């Protein structure tokens, strides 16, 4: 199960952020004023499991009428996108977790068991998307659970439930992929040629995300990595390299002792 | 000019980002604890290997110095690790399971075998009791030691931190060389003069490997490697290189001057001092290198260009990450067409 977030119909109301915080009792994440358009949350973290990005661009959106703005040629568009944990098929956070606190649920999602997490912090730099983070004062790692408790009770996640435009859709991944492909097609026909999918491809660097997006610009503009690859893909090579180096170290010690006259 | 970039050694590549915020969440590890742990663990591992060599070749003074250094460094390492976890009881969760996909899990198990062996080796040497147990512990620690010294390279590389991840080929030999040199430093600084000969060989080999790998880390890892020239990292890495070269050179010079007949007492003392100072330099060098590597990684995590530019280049060249495990370092010049892109919030 997973999410399809269609950012073309996001209105930036942040109902998802609020619903997520309420349902999961996520602590306050700072009362900041950033000046970054309407985004005062800045990014995902231990205390932010849904984050709405706001991007202002001097550019036309599809067949938008552009005579509303005074400066320049009047082109202006506002991109809004609700970001969330990708629940990767090959999840870096889960792979590197030394305690088994991070696990894959029966819904295919990735969840932290807080009673097992020992605060080692390894999952944080292992996530290629900058999702999971350490909670101050607590030391443990926290992130979106895709409302594991609600799923178990046959309910949809709080964010999807609260989204008034159905920008956030919840369902089985296969179904969402089909729906997403159809929506891109539709937007292209309507002249929004910049519409594209992100995280939908099961052959991508994380084996496909459990949260896919329809974006209207390049992923990095939304703070998403353009081509994330889970680091554990290279782990066998890395271990080999370390083993050779360790043997080299032992060999060097042996040579030093054998080669030294008393 | 912003204070952060007074001397922009790296021209910013053309790239787009979300208000210049980092894409990945930078590690929350404290530098003192984690870089310190990596340094001390490396020193401990290689010292244990040296201790076994010394014990087997009848150099009890060198063996004792090495065993003590290893045990002390392990005490420091474990202290640093537990401090980073917050509560000592949390360390036990590391041994709840064994996960080969987690370098930290593998490392915890290696440490769980190594640390007791290192402590027993030092304890039995000091007290002179249970010599057979002591020998077994010394050999056991020597077998695990090299792994303790190098697994931390994988620990760093197996992350999304660009400068560490792209350095996965260079970090293991760098850490092996740096550990060798540090252990050699222990031998030179603390062992009786007549027994430290093998430490000179270790110093020379370690320094050569460390200097080569360190140069490659910065030159062969594409854009990510440039994060190591962030001022806070570059200063330490440079100090590490200078001290490594000086330490190895000094150790070799002392060895050559000291050989060849009986020297006069004054001369003998100066040679001893040179040898000890070289040892200290090598230990310090190893610390500088590890802290420098840590800082380079942190710099690359905080600046989105190191994440975005290589990935974008990969996409634009049609070799997206999917099947491209180990595809090496892509050429990272920013693609044209992004140059004129709308940059928001910059
Ligand atoms: S997005 Fe990050 S936190 Fe979420 S499953 Fe993937 S690696 Fe883990």
């Amino acid at each position: 199960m997973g999410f399809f977030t269609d950012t073309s119909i996001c209105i930036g109301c942040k109902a998802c952020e609020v619903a997520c915080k309420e349902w999961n009792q996520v602590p306050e994440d700072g009362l900041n004023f950033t000046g970054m358009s309407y985004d005062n949350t800045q990014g995902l973290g231990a205390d932010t499991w849904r984050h709405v990005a706001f991007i202002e661009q001097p550019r036309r959106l599809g067949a938008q009428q552009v005579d509303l703005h005074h400066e320049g040629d009047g082109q202006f568009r506002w991109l809004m996108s609700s970001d969330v944990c990708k629940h990767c098929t090959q999840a870096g956070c889960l792979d590197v977790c030394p305690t088994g606190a991070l696990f894959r649920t029966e819904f295919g999602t990735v969840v932290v068991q807080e009673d097992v997490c020992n605060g080692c912090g390894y999952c944080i730099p292992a996530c290629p998307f900058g999702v999971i983070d350490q909670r101050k004062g607590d030391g443990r790692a926290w992130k979106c659970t895709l409302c594991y408790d609600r799923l178990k009770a046959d309910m949809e996640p709080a964010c999807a439930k609260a989204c008034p435009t159905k920008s956030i859709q919840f369902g089985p991944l296969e179904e969402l992929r089909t729906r997403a492909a159809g929506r891109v097609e539709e937007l292209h026909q309507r002249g929004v040629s910049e519409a594209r999918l992100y995280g939908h491809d099961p052959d991508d660097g994380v084996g496909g995300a459990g949260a896919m997006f329809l974006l209207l610009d390049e992923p990095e503009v939304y703070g998403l990595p353009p081509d994330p690859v889970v680091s554990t893909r290279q782990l066998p090579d890395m271990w080999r390299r370390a083993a050779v180096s360790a043997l080299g170290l032992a060999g060097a010690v042996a040579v030093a002792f054998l080669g030294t006259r008393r | 000019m912003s204070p952060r970039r007074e001397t922009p050694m790296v021209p910013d590549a053309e790239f787009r980002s979300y208000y210049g915020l980092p894409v990945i969440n930078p590690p929350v590890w404290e530098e003192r604890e984690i870089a310190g742990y990596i340094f001390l663990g490396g020193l401990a591992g290689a010292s244990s290997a040296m201790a076994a060599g010394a014990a087997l070749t009848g150099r009890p003074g060198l063996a004792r110095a090495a065993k003590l250094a290893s045990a002390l460094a392990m005490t420091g390492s474990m202290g640093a690790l537990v401090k980073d976890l917050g509560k000592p009881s949390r360390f036990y969760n590391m041994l709840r399971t064994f996960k080969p996909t987690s370098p930290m899990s593998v490392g915890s198990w290696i440490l769980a075998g190594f640390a007791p062996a290192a402590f027993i080796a030092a304890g039995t040497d000091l007290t002179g009791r249970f010599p057979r147990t002591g020998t077994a512990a010394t050999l056991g620690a020597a077998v695990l030691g090299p792994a303790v010294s190098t697994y931390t390279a994988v620990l760093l590389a197996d992350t999304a931190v660009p400068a560490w991840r792209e350095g996965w080929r260079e970090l293991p030999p760098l850490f092996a060389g740096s550990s060798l040199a540090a252990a050699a430093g222990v031998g030179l600084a603390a062992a009786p003069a007549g027994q430290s000969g093998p430490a000179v060989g270790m110093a020379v080999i370690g320094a050569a490997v460390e200097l080569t790998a360190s140069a490659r880390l910065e030159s062969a890892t594409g854009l990510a490697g440039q994060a190591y020239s962030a001022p806070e990292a570059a200063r330490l890495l440079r100090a590490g290189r200078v001290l490594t070269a000086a330490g190895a050179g000094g150790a070799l010079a002392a060895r050559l001057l000291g050989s060849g007949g009986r020297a006069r007492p004054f001369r003998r003392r100066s040679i001893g001092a040179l040898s000890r100072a070289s040892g200290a330099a090598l230990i310090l060098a190893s610390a500088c290198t590890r802290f420098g590597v840590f800082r380079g990684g942190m710099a690359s995590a905080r600046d989105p260009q190191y994440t975005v530019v290589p990935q974008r280049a990969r996409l634009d060249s049609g070799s997206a990450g999917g099947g491209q495990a180990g595809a090496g370092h892509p050429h990272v010049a920013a693609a044209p067409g992004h140059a004129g892109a709308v940059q928001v919030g910059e």
Side-chain angles (χ1 to χ4, degrees), chain A residues 39 53-54 56 94-97 99 116 118 120 122 125 129-130 132 134 138 203 217-218 220-221 225-229 231-234 241 245 256 261-262, chain B residues 16-19 23 25 28-29 50 54 57 90 93 96-97 99 101-103 146 155 158 160 165 168-169 172-173 198 255 311-312 314 321-322 326 338 344:
Chain A
D39 180 7
F54 289 77
E56 298 176 18
L94 191 157
D95 282 345
V96 306
C97 174
T99 64
V116 180
N118 72 347
C120 77
Y122 200 10
F129 299 94
I132 194 164
Q134 185 178 52
D138 165 299
D203 294 325
D217 203 336
E218 283 165 345
E220 56 266 41
V221 171
D227 183 32
V229 180
S231 51
T232 30
R233 284 224 179 149
Q234 251 159 323
R241 197 80 188 152
S245 299
R261 274 176 297 127
R262 309 285 324 226
Chain B
R16 305 174 73 191
S17 74
Y18 187 64
Y19 298 95
V23 172
N25 285 336
V28 292
W29 294 327
M50 182 170 75
T57 58
R90 285 184 173 170
N93 283 12
R96 241 184 115 248
T97 150
K99 270 176 79 175
T101 61
S102 168
L155 183 81
D158 189 22
R165 163 97 172 265
W168 69 271
R169 286 185 184 84
R255 174 84 178 157
Q311 292 191 18
R312 173 52 59 198
R314 212 153 62 201
H338 298 288
V344 181

XYZ file of all heavy atoms in Angstrom, chain A residues 39 53-54 56 94-97 99 116 118 120 122 125 129-130 132 134 138 203 217-218 220-221 225-229 231-234 241 245 256 261-262, chain B residues 16-19 23 25 28-29 50 54 57 90 93 96-97 99 101-103 146 155 158 160 165 168-169 172-173 198 255 311-312 314 321-322 326 338 344:
622
model
N 6.088 28.390 3.167
C 6.658 27.233 3.844
C 7.459 27.654 5.070
O 8.562 28.169 4.949
C 7.562 26.456 2.875
C 8.175 25.236 3.536
O 7.800 24.926 4.676
O 9.030 24.590 2.893
N 5.728 21.825 0.414
C 6.700 22.741 -0.189
C 5.956 23.784 -1.015
O 4.957 23.471 -1.670
C 7.661 21.957 -1.073
N 6.440 25.008 -0.997
C 5.868 26.108 -1.789
C 6.967 26.710 -2.647
O 7.993 27.128 -2.131
C 5.310 27.211 -0.878
C 4.064 26.824 -0.138
C 4.132 26.004 0.970
C 2.820 27.292 -0.553
C 2.992 25.647 1.664
C 1.668 26.941 0.138
C 1.752 26.117 1.252
N 7.655 29.517 -5.829
C 7.104 30.571 -6.685
C 8.001 30.730 -7.900
O 9.213 30.853 -7.760
C 7.021 31.883 -5.898
C 6.097 31.776 -4.695
C 6.081 33.041 -3.839
O 6.504 34.104 -4.340
O 5.650 32.950 -2.679
N 16.199 1.140 6.613
C 15.924 -0.200 7.144
C 17.152 -1.087 7.015
O 17.517 -1.816 7.937
C 14.740 -0.784 6.377
C 14.084 -2.063 6.875
C 12.659 -2.138 6.351
C 14.826 -3.295 6.442
N 17.820 -1.003 5.851
C 19.008 -1.838 5.624
C 20.066 -1.610 6.695
O 20.653 -2.554 7.201
C 19.626 -1.514 4.252
C 18.846 -2.158 3.122
O 18.038 -3.055 3.391
O 19.062 -1.753 1.955
N 20.340 -0.344 7.012
C 21.483 -0.068 7.890
C 21.132 -0.101 9.368
O 22.026 -0.065 10.208
C 22.164 1.284 7.564
C 22.546 1.366 6.103
C 21.275 2.450 7.977
N 19.859 -0.173 9.708
C 19.462 -0.165 11.122
C 20.076 -1.370 11.830
O 19.809 -2.513 11.466
C 17.945 -0.199 11.238
S 17.375 -0.368 12.946
N 19.694 -2.483 14.912
C 18.929 -3.127 15.983
C 17.701 -3.872 15.481
O 17.089 -4.632 16.224
C 18.425 -2.083 16.986
O 17.519 -1.211 16.310
C 19.563 -1.278 17.574
N 12.570 -0.274 20.328
C 13.783 -0.997 19.982
C 14.885 -0.039 19.536
O 16.070 -0.289 19.737
C 13.497 -2.040 18.877
C 14.763 -2.799 18.517
C 12.416 -3.013 19.317
N 17.711 2.455 19.283
C 18.649 2.810 20.348
C 19.343 4.144 20.089
O 20.324 4.465 20.735
C 19.670 1.685 20.583
C 20.689 1.584 19.463
O 20.519 2.181 18.410
N 21.748 0.830 19.690
N 21.122 5.242 17.516
C 22.462 5.256 16.924
C 22.566 6.276 15.798
O 23.652 6.717 15.463
C 22.852 3.870 16.405
S 22.068 3.418 14.838
N 22.135 5.962 12.602
C 22.685 5.526 11.313
C 21.676 5.685 10.168
O 22.040 5.959 9.036
C 23.130 4.068 11.429
C 24.127 3.629 10.374
C 24.742 4.542 9.526
C 24.485 2.298 10.246
C 25.668 4.137 8.580
C 25.410 1.884 9.304
C 25.997 2.810 8.467
O 26.904 2.395 7.534
N 21.618 9.504 7.884
C 22.333 9.766 6.629
C 22.147 8.654 5.596
O 22.585 8.805 4.459
C 23.801 9.836 7.069
C 23.877 9.010 8.295
C 22.545 9.170 8.983
N 16.574 10.521 0.791
C 15.576 11.569 0.626
C 15.552 12.578 1.781
O 14.771 13.515 1.759
C 14.173 10.961 0.517
C 13.996 10.042 -0.653
C 14.182 8.686 -0.529
C 13.645 10.556 -1.891
C 14.012 7.832 -1.604
C 13.471 9.709 -2.983
C 13.657 8.346 -2.840
N 16.359 12.362 2.801
C 16.336 13.292 3.935
C 15.028 13.253 4.692
O 14.467 14.296 5.029
N 14.019 10.648 7.485
C 14.050 10.262 8.904
C 15.068 11.134 9.643
O 16.062 11.548 9.075
C 14.367 8.752 9.014
C 14.081 8.225 10.415
C 15.794 8.446 8.583
C 13.996 6.702 10.469
N 16.504 12.567 13.884
C 16.557 12.315 15.311
C 15.737 13.354 16.066
O 15.801 14.541 15.752
C 18.018 12.417 15.758
C 18.261 12.062 17.207
C 19.742 12.140 17.534
O 20.395 13.142 17.263
N 20.276 11.082 18.102
N 15.273 13.218 22.846
C 14.810 11.844 22.910
C 15.905 10.942 22.335
O 16.170 9.858 22.845
C 13.503 11.784 22.084
C 13.057 10.378 21.742
O 13.816 9.676 21.065
O 11.944 9.994 22.128
N 12.001 -0.013 -11.141
C 13.396 -0.269 -11.499
C 14.315 0.887 -11.124
O 15.451 0.952 -11.572
C 13.523 -0.516 -13.005
C 12.812 -1.787 -13.415
O 12.831 -2.739 -12.605
O 12.231 -1.824 -14.517
N 7.840 20.122 -12.150
C 9.183 20.615 -12.453
C 10.151 19.514 -12.033
O 9.720 18.470 -11.533
C 9.464 21.928 -11.700
C 10.551 22.759 -12.383
O 11.384 22.166 -13.115
O 10.571 23.993 -12.185
N 11.437 19.777 -12.189
C 12.404 18.756 -11.823
C 12.352 18.486 -10.313
O 12.099 19.398 -9.527
C 13.804 19.209 -12.234
C 14.005 19.029 -13.721
C 15.214 19.773 -14.252
O 15.727 20.654 -13.532
O 15.617 19.481 -15.387
N 14.512 18.146 -8.008
C 15.379 18.919 -7.114
C 14.779 20.275 -6.760
O 15.106 20.856 -5.721
C 16.792 19.084 -7.698
C 16.888 19.708 -9.078
C 16.935 18.668 -10.201
O 16.188 17.666 -10.119
O 17.697 18.870 -11.169
N 13.877 20.770 -7.619
C 13.225 22.040 -7.337
C 12.332 21.909 -6.091
O 12.152 22.853 -5.330
C 12.397 22.485 -8.564
C 11.530 23.693 -8.252
C 13.322 22.757 -9.737
N 15.777 14.338 -4.322
C 16.956 13.947 -5.102
C 16.531 13.460 -6.486
O 15.602 12.654 -6.584
C 17.558 12.807 -4.278
C 16.412 12.259 -3.493
C 15.478 13.394 -3.232
N 17.190 13.947 -7.561
C 16.742 13.580 -8.907
C 16.897 12.090 -9.229
O 16.082 11.541 -9.943
C 17.616 14.427 -9.830
C 18.547 15.191 -8.993
C 18.237 14.962 -7.555
N 17.937 11.462 -8.720
C 18.158 10.044 -9.041
C 18.703 9.305 -7.818
O 19.862 8.906 -7.778
C 19.141 9.924 -10.224
C 19.340 8.471 -10.652
O 18.385 7.681 -10.523
O 20.451 8.134 -11.097
N 17.859 9.111 -6.802
C 18.336 8.482 -5.568
C 18.668 7.012 -5.789
O 17.962 6.325 -6.516
C 17.139 8.615 -4.622
C 15.947 8.667 -5.524
C 16.409 9.390 -6.766
N 19.749 6.562 -5.175
C 20.109 5.144 -5.227
C 20.437 4.708 -3.805
O 21.226 5.358 -3.119
C 21.340 4.895 -6.131
C 21.676 3.408 -6.162
C 21.094 5.404 -7.539
N 22.221 3.148 -0.841
C 23.668 2.918 -0.776
C 24.014 1.447 -0.594
O 25.100 1.015 -0.973
C 24.285 3.741 0.353
O 23.585 3.530 1.558
N 23.093 0.655 -0.040
C 23.416 -0.752 0.208
C 23.564 -1.555 -1.080
O 24.054 -2.666 -1.051
C 22.357 -1.432 1.093
O 21.108 -0.813 0.873
C 22.704 -1.310 2.547
N 23.149 -0.982 -2.211
C 23.387 -1.690 -3.475
C 24.852 -1.968 -3.691
O 25.221 -2.932 -4.325
C 22.922 -0.818 -4.651
C 21.464 -0.818 -4.782
C 21.064 -0.965 -6.235
N 19.623 -0.970 -6.275
C 18.915 -0.515 -7.277
N 19.521 -0.031 -8.329
N 17.619 -0.567 -7.226
N 25.696 -1.061 -3.204
C 27.134 -1.208 -3.407
C 27.810 -1.890 -2.236
O 29.017 -2.067 -2.233
C 27.758 0.167 -3.600
C 28.207 0.401 -5.013
C 28.341 1.873 -5.292
O 27.553 2.684 -4.808
N 29.328 2.233 -6.059
N 36.131 -4.452 -0.554
C 37.204 -3.464 -0.505
C 37.795 -3.367 0.913
O 39.001 -3.284 1.092
C 36.558 -2.152 -0.918
C 37.428 -1.053 -1.337
C 37.932 -1.151 -2.738
N 38.913 -0.082 -2.874
C 39.936 -0.093 -3.683
N 40.118 -1.097 -4.485
N 40.766 0.911 -3.717
N 41.525 -4.397 2.273
C 42.333 -3.436 3.029
C 42.767 -4.006 4.371
O 43.888 -3.771 4.821
C 41.547 -2.141 3.246
O 41.230 -1.556 2.008
N 56.537 -5.925 8.025
C 57.357 -5.051 8.858
C 58.145 -5.868 9.890
O 59.308 -5.575 10.165
C 56.488 -4.004 9.540
N 65.618 -6.513 10.867
C 66.679 -7.219 11.569
C 66.741 -6.720 12.992
O 66.402 -5.569 13.274
C 68.011 -6.990 10.854
C 68.224 -7.986 9.723
C 69.505 -7.652 8.972
N 69.403 -6.325 8.347
C 70.299 -5.367 8.535
N 71.315 -5.553 9.324
N 70.157 -4.210 7.916
N 67.162 -7.573 13.902
C 67.223 -7.155 15.299
C 68.349 -6.161 15.489
O 69.395 -6.314 14.946
C 67.478 -8.357 16.219
C 66.567 -9.520 16.002
C 65.184 -9.339 16.544
N 65.153 -8.585 17.800
C 64.449 -8.966 18.856
N 63.747 -10.049 18.816
N 64.420 -8.222 19.923
N 19.824 23.273 -9.417
C 18.609 23.816 -8.826
C 18.348 23.110 -7.510
O 18.707 21.953 -7.320
C 17.435 23.595 -9.790
C 17.741 24.173 -11.170
C 16.649 23.830 -12.154
N 15.444 24.604 -11.891
C 14.261 24.347 -12.465
N 14.141 23.326 -13.294
N 13.218 25.095 -12.198
N 17.713 23.830 -6.608
C 17.452 23.219 -5.309
C 16.250 23.913 -4.680
O 15.732 24.887 -5.218
C 18.658 23.374 -4.390
O 18.759 24.706 -3.940
N 15.827 23.373 -3.558
C 14.721 23.977 -2.833
C 15.294 24.962 -1.813
O 15.749 24.566 -0.745
C 13.895 22.887 -2.141
C 12.623 23.395 -1.487
C 11.607 23.953 -2.242
C 12.456 23.314 -0.110
C 10.451 24.422 -1.647
C 11.293 23.772 0.499
C 10.292 24.335 -0.277
O 9.142 24.804 0.319
N 15.324 26.215 -2.167
C 15.837 27.276 -1.295
C 17.235 26.983 -0.758
O 17.587 27.403 0.343
C 14.877 27.532 -0.119
C 13.499 27.995 -0.553
C 12.469 27.086 -0.714
C 13.250 29.342 -0.819
C 11.209 27.505 -1.125
C 11.993 29.768 -1.227
C 10.978 28.840 -1.382
O 9.742 29.262 -1.786
N 19.390 18.252 0.595
C 18.424 17.231 0.179
C 18.359 16.125 1.228
O 17.283 15.678 1.618
C 18.824 16.627 -1.191
C 17.937 15.433 -1.527
C 18.718 17.693 -2.271
N 19.212 14.503 5.082
C 19.390 14.990 6.449
C 20.813 14.668 6.882
O 21.189 13.495 6.925
C 18.383 14.332 7.400
C 16.978 14.901 7.219
O 16.815 16.026 6.753
N 15.971 14.124 7.584
N 23.592 13.134 12.468
C 23.460 13.851 13.741
C 24.592 13.462 14.685
O 24.588 13.825 15.847
C 22.109 13.543 14.423
C 20.980 14.138 13.618
C 21.904 12.054 14.589
N 25.549 12.689 14.154
C 26.659 12.239 14.992
C 27.507 13.421 15.444
O 27.827 14.306 14.661
C 27.544 11.270 14.204
C 26.850 9.994 13.859
C 25.899 9.357 14.600
C 27.048 9.195 12.682
N 25.505 8.210 13.963
C 26.192 8.084 12.791
C 27.884 9.304 11.577
C 26.136 7.089 11.816
C 27.817 8.325 10.618
C 26.963 7.224 10.734
N 49.996 -5.313 15.777
C 51.416 -5.089 16.083
C 51.812 -5.850 17.350
O 52.923 -6.402 17.442
C 51.670 -3.590 16.254
C 53.116 -3.226 16.521
S 53.425 -1.441 16.416
C 52.700 -0.882 17.945
N 54.846 -8.436 17.774
C 55.901 -8.212 18.759
C 56.034 -9.416 19.689
O 57.138 -9.861 20.006
C 55.602 -6.947 19.559
N 57.739 -12.338 17.938
C 59.145 -12.171 17.566
C 60.004 -11.789 18.775
O 61.106 -11.270 18.609
C 59.316 -11.104 16.465
O 58.767 -9.867 16.949
C 58.604 -11.499 15.194
N 21.511 1.294 25.949
C 21.098 1.216 24.549
C 22.072 0.409 23.705
O 21.727 -0.047 22.624
C 20.949 2.617 23.963
C 19.689 3.301 24.441
C 19.532 4.633 23.774
N 18.235 5.227 24.099
C 17.913 6.469 23.802
N 18.786 7.239 23.199
N 16.724 6.941 24.109
N 21.048 -3.154 22.601
C 20.158 -3.345 21.456
C 20.922 -3.640 20.171
O 20.380 -4.230 19.242
C 19.271 -2.114 21.245
C 18.139 -2.061 22.250
O 18.159 -2.807 23.221
N 17.177 -1.196 22.026
N 21.096 -7.319 19.631
C 19.800 -7.996 19.575
C 19.738 -8.917 18.367
O 19.038 -9.894 18.326
C 18.737 -6.910 19.348
C 17.693 -6.765 20.392
C 16.714 -5.707 19.899
N 15.393 -6.270 19.669
C 14.831 -6.405 18.493
N 15.455 -6.024 17.410
N 13.642 -6.920 18.406
N 20.428 -8.484 17.307
C 20.333 -9.196 16.043
C 21.642 -9.022 15.281
O 22.449 -8.168 15.628
C 19.140 -8.662 15.214
O 19.439 -8.799 13.836
C 18.916 -7.190 15.449
N 22.885 -8.185 11.475
C 22.407 -7.795 10.147
C 23.576 -7.485 9.229
O 24.197 -6.433 9.355
C 21.516 -6.548 10.262
C 20.055 -6.854 10.483
C 19.271 -5.564 10.688
C 18.990 -4.852 9.372
N 18.131 -3.661 9.580
N 23.499 -6.405 6.343
C 23.281 -5.199 5.539
C 23.600 -3.942 6.330
O 23.580 -2.851 5.777
C 21.820 -5.083 5.065
O 20.969 -5.004 6.213
C 21.420 -6.265 4.206
N 23.860 -4.082 7.619
C 24.153 -2.903 8.429
C 25.598 -2.931 8.906
O 25.955 -3.705 9.794
C 23.233 -2.851 9.652
O 23.711 -1.865 10.549
N 26.454 -2.074 8.319
C 27.842 -2.037 8.776
C 27.945 -1.785 10.279
O 28.898 -2.227 10.907
C 28.441 -0.879 7.981
C 27.615 -0.823 6.740
C 26.225 -1.198 7.156
N 42.517 -5.862 12.339
C 42.450 -5.197 11.026
C 41.008 -4.902 10.584
O 40.756 -3.896 9.919
C 43.124 -6.212 10.097
C 44.061 -6.961 10.984
C 43.364 -7.060 12.311
N 31.218 1.806 7.140
C 30.191 2.485 7.943
C 29.880 3.862 7.349
O 28.719 4.249 7.209
C 30.697 2.627 9.377
C 29.740 3.247 10.391
C 28.767 2.199 10.873
C 30.491 3.822 11.579
N 28.535 3.582 3.356
C 27.190 3.049 3.129
C 26.113 4.027 3.608
O 25.238 3.685 4.394
C 27.044 1.697 3.836
C 25.738 0.996 3.455
O 25.190 1.325 2.388
O 25.269 0.137 4.223
N 24.036 8.042 2.340
C 23.758 8.935 1.209
C 24.623 10.191 1.268
O 24.421 11.123 0.494
C 22.274 9.308 1.197
N 30.118 8.366 0.392
C 29.595 7.349 -0.513
C 30.453 7.226 -1.760
O 30.831 6.141 -2.170
C 28.171 7.778 -0.880
C 27.600 7.106 -2.068
C 26.756 5.968 -1.632
N 26.031 5.403 -2.729
C 24.795 5.728 -3.052
N 24.152 6.633 -2.351
N 24.198 5.139 -4.037
N 33.875 5.321 -1.552
C 33.857 3.949 -1.022
C 35.071 3.128 -1.440
O 35.479 2.222 -0.743
C 32.569 3.234 -1.395
C 32.424 2.907 -2.862
C 31.879 3.708 -3.820
C 32.843 1.709 -3.525
N 31.932 3.084 -5.040
C 32.515 1.852 -4.884
C 33.457 0.534 -3.099
C 32.782 0.871 -5.829
C 33.721 -0.445 -4.045
C 33.384 -0.277 -5.391
N 35.685 3.478 -2.560
C 36.886 2.746 -2.965
C 38.114 3.212 -2.188
O 39.010 2.442 -1.908
C 37.170 2.983 -4.450
C 36.245 2.267 -5.384
C 36.731 2.511 -6.816
N 35.836 1.930 -7.775
C 34.734 2.534 -8.208
N 34.412 3.723 -7.756
N 33.948 1.947 -9.080
N 38.490 2.650 2.548
C 39.083 1.504 3.257
C 40.619 1.504 3.256
O 41.220 1.386 4.327
C 38.495 0.289 2.537
C 37.209 0.785 1.953
C 37.482 2.212 1.560
N 41.289 1.684 2.090
C 42.755 1.740 2.177
C 43.241 2.951 2.981
O 44.251 2.856 3.687
C 43.210 1.826 0.718
C 42.009 2.141 -0.085
C 40.821 1.678 0.690
N 60.323 -2.754 13.896
C 59.222 -3.055 12.966
C 58.232 -1.898 12.824
O 57.589 -1.760 11.780
C 58.543 -4.262 13.620
C 59.579 -4.864 14.501
C 60.430 -3.740 14.986
N 65.924 5.650 12.448
C 66.341 4.255 12.303
C 67.705 4.172 11.597
O 68.601 3.455 12.021
C 65.275 3.504 11.501
C 65.610 2.091 11.127
C 65.279 1.141 12.250
N 65.564 -0.237 11.884
C 65.793 -1.198 12.758
N 65.749 -0.924 14.042
N 66.048 -2.427 12.361
N 23.672 13.453 -9.495
C 22.468 12.683 -9.835
C 21.832 13.225 -11.111
O 21.372 12.470 -11.966
C 21.462 12.729 -8.683
C 21.941 11.985 -7.444
C 20.844 11.818 -6.407
O 19.656 11.946 -6.704
N 21.239 11.525 -5.177
N 21.811 14.519 -11.226
C 21.245 15.147 -12.422
C 22.066 14.762 -13.648
O 21.525 14.433 -14.713
C 21.196 16.669 -12.193
C 20.812 17.560 -13.338
C 19.539 17.198 -14.046
N 18.345 17.182 -13.210
C 17.210 16.566 -13.571
N 17.121 15.941 -14.741
N 16.168 16.565 -12.770
N 23.792 12.107 -14.020
C 23.521 10.693 -14.289
C 22.234 10.554 -15.092
O 22.167 9.832 -16.077
C 23.362 9.985 -12.953
C 23.798 8.575 -12.914
C 24.221 8.212 -11.516
N 23.141 8.309 -10.538
C 23.342 8.428 -9.220
N 24.562 8.486 -8.749
N 22.321 8.509 -8.395
N 20.055 5.664 -11.883
C 20.524 4.774 -10.832
C 20.037 3.344 -10.876
O 20.722 2.454 -10.391
N 18.879 3.095 -11.438
C 18.292 1.775 -11.404
C 19.266 0.613 -11.456
O 19.574 0.016 -10.442
N 27.387 0.585 -8.582
C 28.836 0.580 -8.763
C 29.263 1.172 -10.081
O 30.297 0.839 -10.615
N 20.255 23.664 -17.856
C 19.854 23.994 -16.499
C 20.381 25.351 -16.121
O 19.983 25.940 -15.150
C 20.380 22.951 -15.519
C 19.807 21.609 -15.812
N 18.502 21.316 -15.554
C 20.352 20.532 -16.407
C 18.267 20.083 -15.971
N 19.363 19.594 -16.490
N 14.743 29.334 -7.759
C 13.783 29.883 -6.814
C 14.413 30.030 -5.441
O 15.087 29.144 -4.960
C 12.566 28.958 -6.718
C 11.549 29.519 -5.754
C 11.951 28.801 -8.091
